[in-house]
Amino acid sequence: NFMLTQPRSVSESPGKTVTISCTGSGGSIASNYVQWYQQRPGNAPTTVIYDDYRRPSGVPDRFSGSIDSSSNSASLTISGLKTEDEADYYCQSYDSNNRGVFGGGTKLTVL
Amino acid sequence: EVQLVQSGAEVKKPGESLKISCKGSGYSFSNFWIGWVRQMPGKGLEWMGIISPGDSDTRYSPSFQGQVTISADKSITTAYLQWSSLKASDTAMYYCARVLQGNGFDYWGQGTLVTVSS
Protein backbone atom coordinates (compact mmCIF):
# COMPACT_ATOMS: atom_id res chain seq x y z
CA ASN A 1 0.00 0.00 0.00
CA PHE A 2 1.24 3.43 -0.96
CA MET A 3 1.59 5.71 2.06
CA LEU A 4 2.73 9.28 2.64
CA THR A 5 4.52 10.17 5.88
CA GLN A 6 4.89 13.70 7.22
CA PRO A 7 6.49 15.04 10.40
CA ARG A 8 3.85 15.69 13.05
CA SER A 9 5.00 19.22 13.71
CA VAL A 10 7.53 21.85 12.72
CA SER A 11 8.15 25.29 14.09
CA GLU A 12 10.06 28.34 12.92
CA SER A 13 10.27 32.05 13.53
CA PRO A 14 8.59 34.77 11.47
CA GLY A 15 10.61 35.79 8.44
CA LYS A 16 12.47 32.47 8.28
CA THR A 17 12.10 29.57 5.84
CA VAL A 18 10.61 26.19 6.70
CA THR A 19 10.42 22.98 4.70
CA ILE A 20 7.84 20.26 5.32
CA SER A 21 8.63 16.81 3.97
CA CYS A 22 6.30 14.12 2.64
CA THR A 23 7.95 10.74 2.18
CA GLY A 24 6.38 8.04 0.07
CA SER A 25 6.53 4.32 0.83
CA GLY A 26 5.13 1.33 -1.06
CA GLY A 27 5.55 3.09 -4.40
CA SER A 28 7.27 5.88 -6.28
CA ILE A 29 6.24 9.40 -5.32
CA ALA A 30 7.16 10.50 -8.84
CA SER A 31 4.48 8.29 -10.40
CA ASN A 32 1.66 10.73 -9.64
CA TYR A 33 1.40 14.42 -8.90
CA VAL A 34 1.65 15.66 -5.32
CA GLN A 35 -0.57 18.35 -3.86
CA TRP A 36 -0.28 20.37 -0.66
CA TYR A 37 -3.22 21.71 1.32
CA GLN A 38 -3.31 24.26 4.11
CA GLN A 39 -5.93 24.01 6.84
CA ARG A 40 -6.25 26.74 9.41
CA PRO A 41 -8.10 25.86 12.65
CA GLY A 42 -11.85 25.69 12.13
CA ASN A 43 -11.61 26.16 8.36
CA ALA A 44 -11.87 24.01 5.27
CA PRO A 45 -8.61 23.07 3.55
CA THR A 46 -7.29 25.23 0.75
CA THR A 47 -4.86 24.24 -1.99
CA VAL A 48 -1.43 25.87 -1.90
CA ILE A 49 0.43 23.59 -4.35
CA TYR A 50 -0.85 21.24 -7.06
CA ASP A 51 0.86 19.11 -9.72
CA ASP A 52 4.06 18.95 -7.60
CA TYR A 53 4.98 22.64 -7.82
CA ARG A 54 2.19 24.74 -9.36
CA ARG A 55 0.54 27.48 -7.28
CA PRO A 56 -3.15 28.34 -7.61
CA SER A 57 -3.83 31.97 -8.34
CA GLY A 58 -3.82 33.95 -5.14
CA VAL A 59 -1.24 31.79 -3.37
CA PRO A 60 1.89 33.87 -2.73
CA ASP A 61 5.17 32.81 -4.30
CA ARG A 62 6.53 32.31 -0.77
CA PHE A 63 5.04 28.82 -1.16
CA SER A 64 6.90 26.36 -3.37
CA GLY A 65 6.79 22.62 -3.95
CA SER A 66 9.30 20.09 -5.19
CA ILE A 67 9.87 16.38 -5.71
CA ASP A 68 13.05 14.42 -4.96
CA SER A 69 12.94 11.01 -6.61
CA SER A 70 16.17 9.92 -4.95
CA SER A 71 14.61 10.17 -1.49
CA ASN A 72 11.09 9.37 -2.74
CA SER A 73 9.81 12.50 -1.12
CA ALA A 74 8.01 15.75 -1.80
CA SER A 75 8.62 19.02 -0.01
CA LEU A 76 6.68 22.17 0.69
CA THR A 77 8.86 25.19 1.38
CA ILE A 78 7.48 28.40 2.85
CA SER A 79 9.81 31.37 2.88
CA GLY A 80 9.39 34.69 4.68
CA LEU A 81 7.17 33.03 7.27
CA LYS A 82 4.21 34.99 8.56
CA THR A 83 2.07 34.27 11.59
CA GLU A 84 -0.86 33.71 9.22
CA ASP A 85 0.99 30.67 7.80
CA GLU A 86 0.42 28.85 11.09
CA ALA A 87 -1.80 25.92 10.10
CA ASP A 88 -1.89 22.20 9.40
CA TYR A 89 -0.40 21.16 6.05
CA TYR A 90 -1.27 17.95 4.23
CA CYS A 91 0.38 16.35 1.23
CA GLN A 92 -1.72 14.22 -1.10
CA SER A 93 -1.15 11.97 -4.09
CA TYR A 94 -2.50 8.79 -5.67
CA ASP A 95 -1.59 5.12 -5.44
CA SER A 96 -1.11 2.70 -8.33
CA ASN A 97 -4.87 1.96 -8.36
CA ASN A 98 -5.71 5.64 -8.83
CA ARG A 99 -7.01 6.01 -5.30
CA GLY A 100 -6.10 9.15 -3.37
CA VAL A 101 -3.80 9.11 -0.38
CA PHE A 102 -3.19 11.87 2.19
CA GLY A 103 -0.22 12.27 4.47
CA GLY A 104 -0.98 12.46 8.17
CA GLY A 105 -0.53 16.22 8.30
CA THR A 106 2.06 18.57 9.78
CA LYS A 107 1.26 21.27 12.29
CA LEU A 108 3.27 24.39 11.50
CA THR A 109 3.85 26.75 14.41
CA VAL A 110 5.22 30.21 13.67
CA LEU A 111 6.60 31.61 16.89
CA GLU B 1 -16.38 32.28 -9.60
CA VAL B 2 -16.09 28.57 -8.82
CA GLN B 3 -18.08 27.62 -5.71
CA LEU B 4 -18.93 24.38 -3.95
CA VAL B 5 -21.69 24.85 -1.39
CA GLN B 6 -22.46 21.99 0.95
CA SER B 7 -25.63 21.21 2.86
CA GLY B 8 -25.93 22.04 6.55
CA ALA B 9 -24.92 20.19 9.68
CA GLU B 10 -26.78 16.99 10.56
CA VAL B 11 -27.46 15.23 13.85
CA LYS B 12 -28.58 11.62 13.46
CA LYS B 13 -29.04 8.46 15.48
CA PRO B 14 -27.16 5.21 14.84
CA GLY B 15 -28.89 3.14 12.18
CA GLU B 16 -30.46 6.13 10.42
CA SER B 17 -29.80 6.99 6.79
CA LEU B 18 -28.38 10.26 5.51
CA LYS B 19 -27.59 12.01 2.23
CA ILE B 20 -25.51 15.20 2.19
CA SER B 21 -24.98 17.38 -0.85
CA CYS B 22 -22.44 19.56 -2.60
CA LYS B 23 -23.67 22.04 -5.23
CA GLY B 24 -21.18 23.30 -7.77
CA SER B 25 -21.43 26.57 -9.65
CA GLY B 26 -19.29 28.89 -11.75
CA TYR B 27 -17.84 26.17 -13.99
CA SER B 28 -18.86 23.29 -16.25
CA PHE B 29 -19.94 20.80 -13.59
CA SER B 30 -19.89 17.75 -15.87
CA ASN B 31 -16.27 18.29 -16.89
CA PHE B 32 -14.62 17.95 -13.47
CA TRP B 33 -14.66 15.03 -11.06
CA ILE B 34 -15.85 15.77 -7.51
CA GLY B 35 -14.27 14.15 -4.47
CA TRP B 36 -15.28 13.61 -0.85
CA VAL B 37 -12.90 13.85 2.11
CA ARG B 38 -13.53 12.86 5.73
CA GLN B 39 -12.01 14.53 8.78
CA MET B 40 -12.81 12.89 12.09
CA PRO B 41 -12.63 15.09 15.22
CA GLY B 42 -9.04 16.17 15.85
CA LYS B 43 -7.71 13.97 13.05
CA GLY B 44 -6.30 14.30 9.54
CA LEU B 45 -7.85 14.25 6.08
CA GLU B 46 -8.99 10.96 4.51
CA TRP B 47 -9.70 10.49 0.80
CA MET B 48 -13.06 8.73 0.44
CA GLY B 49 -13.76 8.66 -3.27
CA ILE B 50 -14.50 10.62 -6.41
CA ILE B 51 -17.22 10.79 -9.04
CA SER B 52 -17.38 12.01 -12.61
CA PRO B 53 -20.69 13.89 -12.83
CA GLY B 54 -20.74 13.50 -16.60
CA ASP B 55 -21.11 9.71 -16.59
CA SER B 56 -21.28 8.86 -12.84
CA ASP B 57 -18.05 6.84 -13.02
CA THR B 58 -17.07 6.42 -9.36
CA ARG B 59 -13.92 5.34 -7.54
CA TYR B 60 -13.82 4.56 -3.82
CA SER B 61 -11.00 4.21 -1.36
CA PRO B 62 -10.92 0.59 -0.14
CA SER B 63 -11.55 1.96 3.37
CA PHE B 64 -14.90 3.42 2.31
CA GLN B 65 -16.04 0.99 -0.40
CA GLY B 66 -19.37 -0.47 0.69
CA GLN B 67 -19.67 1.97 3.60
CA VAL B 68 -20.93 5.00 1.65
CA THR B 69 -22.39 5.80 -1.75
CA ILE B 70 -21.25 8.70 -3.90
CA SER B 71 -23.59 9.96 -6.59
CA ALA B 72 -24.23 13.04 -8.69
CA ASP B 73 -27.04 14.74 -10.61
CA LYS B 74 -25.51 16.84 -13.36
CA SER B 75 -28.86 18.42 -14.20
CA ILE B 76 -28.75 20.30 -10.90
CA THR B 77 -24.93 20.37 -10.62
CA THR B 78 -24.96 18.54 -7.30
CA ALA B 79 -22.92 15.68 -5.88
CA TYR B 80 -24.00 13.54 -2.95
CA LEU B 81 -22.56 11.38 -0.20
CA GLN B 82 -24.92 8.98 1.48
CA TRP B 83 -25.10 6.38 4.21
CA SER B 84 -27.78 3.69 4.58
CA SER B 85 -27.08 2.96 8.25
CA LEU B 86 -25.01 5.44 10.22
CA LYS B 87 -22.64 4.49 13.04
CA ALA B 88 -21.23 6.64 15.81
CA SER B 89 -17.85 6.31 14.10
CA ASP B 90 -19.25 8.23 11.08
CA THR B 91 -19.20 11.38 13.23
CA ALA B 92 -16.93 13.73 11.29
CA MET B 93 -16.64 16.76 9.06
CA TYR B 94 -17.10 15.89 5.40
CA TYR B 95 -15.70 18.05 2.61
CA CYS B 96 -16.36 17.95 -1.11
CA ALA B 97 -13.74 19.27 -3.51
CA ARG B 98 -13.27 19.66 -7.25
CA VAL B 99 -10.67 17.40 -8.85
CA LEU B 100 -8.06 18.90 -11.16
CA GLN B 101 -6.85 17.20 -14.35
CA GLY B 102 -3.74 16.10 -12.47
CA ASN B 103 -5.97 14.51 -9.80
CA GLY B 104 -5.41 16.97 -6.99
CA PHE B 105 -8.18 19.09 -5.50
CA ASP B 106 -8.43 22.79 -6.26
CA TYR B 107 -11.71 24.17 -4.89
CA TRP B 108 -13.23 22.96 -1.64
CA GLY B 109 -16.68 23.14 -0.07
CA GLN B 110 -17.13 24.63 3.38
CA GLY B 111 -17.73 21.23 4.97
CA THR B 112 -20.73 19.43 6.46
CA LEU B 113 -20.56 18.29 10.08
CA VAL B 114 -22.27 14.96 10.67
CA THR B 115 -22.89 13.93 14.28
CA VAL B 116 -24.17 10.45 15.01
CA SER B 117 -25.25 9.91 18.59
CA SER B 118 -27.93 8.03 20.44
Side-chain angles (χ1 to χ4, degrees):
Chain A
N1 283 5
F2 185 60
M3 292 175 55
L4 298 172
T5 301
Q6 301 179 233
R8 280 198 162 229
S9 64
V10 296
S11 61
E12 190 50 271
S13 303
K16 299 289 191 179
T17 296
V18 70
T19 296
I20 299 172
S21 62
C22 171
T23 302
S25 59
S28 171
I29 202 161
S31 295
N32 290 288
Y33 287 123
V34 174
Q35 284 61 237
W36 289 92
Y37 307 108
Q38 176 192 69
Q39 187 179 33
R40 295 190 175 105
N43 289 323
T46 61
T47 304
V48 292
I49 295 289
Y50 69 97
D51 291 0
D52 294 343
Y53 63 90
R54 300 183 193 280
R55 278 178 289 107
S57 60
V59 174
D61 59 7
R62 300 186 297 105
F63 290 81
S64 62
S66 63
I67 301 291
D68 182 353
S69 298
S70 65
S71 60
N72 207 33
S73 65
S75 295
L76 172 68
T77 299
I78 310 171
S79 60
L81 274 170
K82 302 184 177 187
T83 54
E84 68 203 45
D85 298 330
E86 189 161 289
D88 293 327
Y89 291 86
Y90 295 89
C91 60
Q92 179 258 322
S93 188
Y94 277 70
D95 65 18
S96 57
N97 294 315
N98 259 339
R99 302 301 189 261
V101 177
F102 280 101
T106 299
K107 181 178 179 60
L108 170 62
T109 302
V110 182
L111 34 66
Chain B
E1 179 196 6
V2 173
Q3 283 195 307
L4 296 172
V5 179
Q6 297 185 230
S7 49
E10 302 274 1
V11 179
K12 292 289 191 179
K13 290 181 167 33
E16 291 185 333
S17 62
L18 175 65
K19 192 173 190 177
I20 63 175
S21 65
C22 168
K23 182 171 176 60
S25 62
Y27 72 100
S28 179
F29 187 74
S30 295
N31 289 350
F32 289 83
W33 292 64
I34 291 282
W36 287 94
V37 174
R38 183 175 79 174
Q39 187 168 38
M40 299 177 78
K43 301 297 184 183
L45 305 176
E46 299 175 90
W47 193 95
M48 301 178 71
I50 56 175
I51 187 165
S52 169
D55 60 6
S56 291
D57 185 13
T58 311
R59 299 174 191 169
Y60 293 93
S61 162
S63 301
F64 292 95
Q65 179 86 48
Q67 308 304 308
V68 297
T69 301
I70 295 171
S71 60
D73 184 341
K74 63 184 178 183
S75 69
I76 55 172
T77 66
T78 301
Y80 302 97
L81 177 65
Q82 70 180 94
W83 296 259
S84 58
S85 181
L86 286 160
K87 311 181 197 59
S89 57
D90 293 317
T91 294
M93 182 72 82
Y94 293 88
Y95 296 101
C96 66
R98 192 179 78 162
V99 182
L100 282 165
Q101 300 297 337
N103 290 330
F105 297 126
D106 58 353
Y107 290 92
W108 294 72
Q110 83 277 19
T112 296
L113 180 63
V114 174
T115 304
V116 183
S117 174
S118 54

